[in-house]
Amino acid sequence: MTTPLTDRTALMRQRARARASAPAVFLHDAAIAEVQDRLEMVNKSFTAPAIVTGWPEHWQAVVEDAKIVPDDDTLDLEEGAHDLVIHAMSMHWSNDPVGQLIQSRRALRPDGLFLGVMPGGTTLNELRAALAQAEAEVSGGLSPRVTPTGEVRELGGLLQRAGMTLPVVDSVPLTASYANMHAVMHDLRAMGETNAMHARPRHFARRALFDRASQIYAANFGTDDGRINATYDLIFLTGWSPDASQPQPLRPGSAKTRLADALGTDETPLRD
């Protein structure tokens, strides 16, 4: 059996700990605002929405009368029951992202909309780099300490593999300012987003590792006012369930007007 990426027990424990304190929700707030803006731009009314999320308290009011679905490996979604599925800030912890997309697509009615959002791209690249360099110096090796994130190009391919039509993937970069690296890690705990990888180290790291990482972080990513920046990329995935009413690509060779004529330029044939 393939070892899973995520330790779901650890992830649930971290989310519960974050909820019990003062959770940091600024990424959710930014994602919700973007999702609502995108839905307003879609010329379509949704009557049977569903939201897949591990944070129902933040997302349940985003779309009226939406079914809230936990982000389990097997989603509680009925086939063909929804005209909108939002996958909210959870897919980066999935052991099978393609499976999540396929389940979401199957839950959609024809011409139904899928809208996903998750951290990805260059998210926490500063922390990742600082920890990697510090661990190489302090212990002579590397351990998985920050979850891997998907790139825009890769995620676009996943939408196509899941059978979505008209796939679009884009990112919204955000930058947060912190006093030091320890403040970044405090925020991650308050988000429930600390290391829950199955292959994570199961022993306490030496304090020297984090002290050195903090020095590296400040030296390489410090700002003029003595603070540091952390990058968060929100990746948005948009796709539709197939329907005959959607625009279809033309057959190759079916064009009736030459591109050169449309551009008002001369065509130069290439040599064989």
Side-chain angles (χ1 to χ4, degrees), residues 13-195:
R13 183 170 59 246
Q14 291 171 184
R15 288 176 175 176
R17 185 166 54 234
R19 289 186 177 97
S21 56
V25 298
F26 66 91
L27 283 185
H28 289 277
D29 290 342
I32 287 170
E34 279 286 337
V35 165
Q36 291 176 327
D37 284 347
R38 290 161 190 253
L39 290 177
E40 288 180 1
M41 289 188 291
V42 176
N43 186 24
K44 187 178 180 72
S45 297
F46 299 102
T47 59
I51 301 176
V52 179
T53 184
W55 298 92
E57 60 271 34
H58 302 312
W59 286 87
Q60 60 189 0
V62 172
V63 180
E64 188 175 358
D65 298 327
K67 177 181 179 179
I68 302 299
V69 179
D71 62 326
D72 299 326
D73 290 335
T74 301
L75 300 177
D76 182 22
L77 290 170
E78 182 181 347
E79 186 171 351
H82 302 282
D83 53 6
L84 170 66
V85 173
I86 299 173
H87 206 302
M89 298 295 284
S90 298
M91 201 180 302
H92 59 298
W93 286 119
S94 172
N95 288 313
D96 183 13
V98 175
Q100 295 282 299
L101 291 171
I102 291 174
Q103 292 179 75
S104 298
R105 193 258 302 160
R106 288 177 176 170
L108 288 169
R109 299 169 182 171
D111 202 34
L113 174 63
F114 171 82
L115 181 55
V117 55
M118 63 179 174
T122 59
T123 294
L124 297 176
N125 69 90
E126 303 93 347
L127 179 63
R128 194 188 314 273
L131 286 172
Q133 182 179 338
E135 191 161 26
E137 293 179 7
V138 172
S139 61
L142 292 176
S143 301
R145 297 189 178 277
V146 181
T147 186
T149 54
E151 298 293 335
V152 168
R153 182 177 300 179
E154 298 169 348
L155 294 171
L158 297 188
L159 283 173
Q160 293 178 313
R161 286 177 59 188
M164 303 279 188
T165 62
L166 309 175
V168 176
V169 181
D170 65 294
S171 66
V172 175
L174 303 172
T175 301
S177 174
Y178 293 94
N180 49 48
M181 191 191 80
H182 299 289
V184 177
M185 299 179 71
H186 178 274
D187 243 11
L188 293 177
R189 284 191 294 272
M191 296 178 193
E193 293 287 341
T194 47
N195 193 354

